[in-house]
Amino acid sequence: QVYKGLDIITNKVSPQEQRLCRHHMISFVDPLVSNYTVVDFRDKAVPLISYIFARDKIPIVVGGTNYYIESLLWKVLINTKEKASSVPRPDSDRKVELEQLDSAELHRRLSQVDPEMAAKLHPHDKRKVARSLQVFEETGIPHSQILHQQQEEEGGGPLGGPLKYPHSCILWLHADQAALDARLDKRVDDMVAAGLLEELRDFHRRYNQQKVAENRQDYQHGIFQSIGFKEFHEYLISEGNCSPETSALLLEKGIQALKQVTKRYARRQNKWVRNRFLKRPGPNVPPVYGLEVSDVQRWEEDVLKPALEIVESFIQGREPPAEPLRMEQDEENKRSHRVCELCARLIIGDREWAAHTRSKSHLHHLKKRRKLEASGRAGGTVGDSGDTGTSDEDGSLPV
């Protein structure tokens, strides 16, 4: 929503609603700027929050993208270079340049300058590996060392530095999955009815058509990574060059893809709240209050009234009538590294390893290897010591 224009695809709040309450951080970045980051967002938002507090008002941060909210609540980001202005310059971005390199080469470079960070990141995660390399190149300090410094500050923890605003609270609006999915599908239909295609068509014609023709389209940075651009790519580039029937099929394909990716994103948002807010280790975590929004007909009773009571309690320094949500922290190690030699894959995280060992591809390789071992024993194959091939009872490869 920081980008100018494209109000439908970025689902901006309506001008009518904006007149009811002062809104900030909307429509101020040129849509062709590709190197606008969460650091730029934070550096502009934090002074605005101070300005609102100075006028004895309450800043309300609305999400959205929970990673951006987290950047305002905790000290979790790293400034690699001072910006002359809060609006990014359209110069080259070192991180984008690094992402053009081969994944193996990127990871090799990071291993040389920051082996600890390289061990934590998957070699194929180009964006994170490139970011860690950028941090080292522009600060001269390994990324892992800076993170340790943040975590060791008073109030810091495994996920970053201390809480910036000690008296904040989080209101989590959540809905039954079926109700949420239906609402998101309707939102996409409403966007199409409001002129989504005309907005995308106009933007594609003015800014994107030449990039596509030159095969340098990038859906990973800037405004183009917003949900909706990639999903209608086929429809936009083929419009006028194919039959009306084909165009209609591509349009429907784009609409269904937009609905699917929107629902997937909503699930990721909820997962972020659970894992990064509710399960966040350490004492400096704002309370999270759940507000049920499955039935919009009950908005006053289920959302507005309890939310006002919670916020008024915070302002008056008393205990809110509602209890904050609590979730037990699990013991899962998200940074564990295991190599499945059977499938020639590196797996990071306990949950991912458990899923991999149950996957069809892993079980297929396991079954295939056991057949080979069985045929080897039947044929009397022996090793140099006279022992048959070694294999653990659970079928894991010998190390």
Side-chain angles (χ1 to χ4, degrees):
Q1 297 196 1
V2 300
Y3 293 99
K4 296 175 186 173
L6 298 160
D7 295 352
I8 301 173
I9 193 63
T10 55
N11 210 38
K12 287 192 177 81
V13 62
S14 69
Q16 292 81 5
E17 286 189 67
Q18 289 192 45
R19 283 195 288 269
L20 298 174
C21 173
R22 176 79 183 276
H23 284 64
H24 303 271
M25 305 296 291
I26 293 180
S27 299
F28 65 94
V29 177
D30 188 311
L32 293 187
V33 169
S34 63
N35 61 342
Y36 186 84
T37 69
V38 64
V39 174
D40 298 307
F41 172 85
R42 181 207 59 189
D43 289 349
K44 185 174 176 66
V46 168
L48 277 170
I49 291 173
S50 300
Y51 167 69
I52 294 169
F53 276 134
R55 293 186 295 120
D56 290 328
K57 301 291 183 182
I58 303 296
I60 304 171
V61 181
V62 183
T65 308
N66 294 321
Y67 179 44
Y68 281 60
I69 296 176
E70 182 172 322
S71 76
L72 299 180
L73 290 175
W74 288 277
K75 185 178 178 181
V76 292
L77 299 179
I78 298 168
N79 273 329
T80 56
K81 50 187 174 182
E82 292 297 321
K83 303 244 184 334
S85 140
S86 59
V87 178
R89 299 182 303 274
D91 55 0
S92 62
D93 187 335
R94 180 56 180 156
K95 178 172 172 285
V96 175
E97 292 174 0
L98 287 167
E99 287 176 21
Q100 307 308 309
L101 297 174
D102 175 75
S103 296
E105 171 63 16
L106 262 181
H107 199 261
R108 185 189 67 79
R109 290 190 186 187
L110 183 61
S111 300
Q112 291 177 336
V113 298
D114 192 352
E116 181 182 343
M117 205 67 199
K120 291 180 179 179
L121 298 177
H122 197 288
H124 293 161
D125 194 341
K126 268 190 165 187
R127 298 189 74 167
K128 289 186 179 178
V129 174
R131 172 58 179 163
S132 288
L133 264 177
Q134 179 197 21
V135 168
F136 176 77
E137 289 184 2
E138 296 179 356
T139 66
I141 305 171
H143 192 179
S144 58
Q145 184 178 328
I146 298 176
L147 294 179
H148 284 312
Q149 291 169 355
Q150 285 185 349
Q151 293 161 4
E152 289 166 2
E153 291 183 36
E154 184 179 355
L159 295 181
L163 190 66
K164 294 178 187 175
Y165 306 103
H167 301 296
S168 53
C169 72
I170 297 173
L171 304 177
W172 180 25
L173 279 63
H174 57 85
D176 172 76
Q177 195 63 57
L180 178 60
D181 287 347
R183 198 173 298 161
L184 293 172
D185 281 345
K186 182 180 183 302
R187 188 174 83 174
V188 171
D189 292 334
D190 290 345
M191 289 164 69
V192 174
L196 172 65
L197 297 178
E198 289 75 12
E199 182 179 88
L200 286 175
R201 194 178 288 121
D202 177 64
F203 191 79
H204 174 73
R205 183 172 57 250
R206 286 191 292 148
Y207 300 118
N208 202 32
Q209 203 164 30
Q210 189 61 34
K211 288 185 177 183
V212 171
E214 296 171 0
N215 197 27
R216 56 186 182 92
Q217 173 57 63
D218 178 12
Y219 285 113
Q220 301 300 318
H221 300 94
I223 186 66
F224 292 100
Q225 65 185 316
S226 300
I227 291 175
F229 283 101
K230 185 165 54 177
E231 287 69 32
F232 288 96
H233 176 82
E234 282 187 89
Y235 171 74
L236 291 171
I237 64 172
S238 64
E239 195 175 26
N241 301 316
C242 62
S243 67
E245 293 78 14
T246 301
S247 186
L249 286 172
L250 290 175
L251 173 58
E252 183 58 26
K253 180 182 176 182
I255 292 172
Q256 293 307 317
L258 179 55
K259 290 180 177 181
Q260 184 180 16
V261 75
T262 301
K263 287 182 279 193
R264 191 183 304 138
Y265 183 63
R267 284 168 169 78
R268 285 207 305 270
Q269 288 176 310
N270 286 332
K271 185 178 178 181
W272 186 287
V273 173
R274 287 190 291 269
N275 292 339
R276 303 284 294 194
F277 294 167
L278 287 173
K279 294 183 182 179
R280 196 179 190 93
N284 288 333
V285 182
V288 179
Y289 297 92
L291 298 170
E292 174 64 47
V293 294
S294 295
D295 184 0
V296 292
Q297 301 301 319
R298 291 184 51 82
W299 178 266
E300 298 277 339
E301 308 97 297
D302 294 347
V303 183
L304 182 59
K305 184 181 176 185
L308 288 173
E309 289 175 348
I310 291 166
V311 173
E312 285 171 356
S313 298
F314 267 79
I315 294 172
Q316 296 166 9
R318 56 183 173 84
E319 283 294 315
E323 283 290 319
L325 299 173
R326 303 187 189 281
M327 288 186 73
E328 293 295 324
Q329 293 182 21
D330 53 35
E331 299 301 319
E332 177 198 357
N333 182 358
K334 296 180 180 179
R335 295 296 188 186
S336 65
H337 280 58
R338 296 182 179 89
V339 176
C340 179
E341 298 185 20
L342 197 61
C343 305
R345 284 189 60 192
L346 169 65
I347 310 296
I348 297 179
D350 292 348
R351 187 177 301 176
E352 286 73 13
W353 175 256
H356 174 72
T357 56
R358 295 191 299 267
S359 67
K360 288 183 179 180
S361 61
H362 177 80
L363 294 175
H364 170 74
H365 284 104
L366 189 61
K367 183 178 179 182
K368 187 176 179 181
R369 197 203 60 190
R370 284 175 173 167
K371 278 187 177 180
L372 287 173
E373 290 177 346
S375 63
R377 286 194 294 269
T381 302
V382 295
D384 290 342
S385 64
D387 295 331
T388 56
T390 57
S391 173
D392 294 337
E393 290 181 3
D394 65 355
S396 60
L397 280 173
V399 179

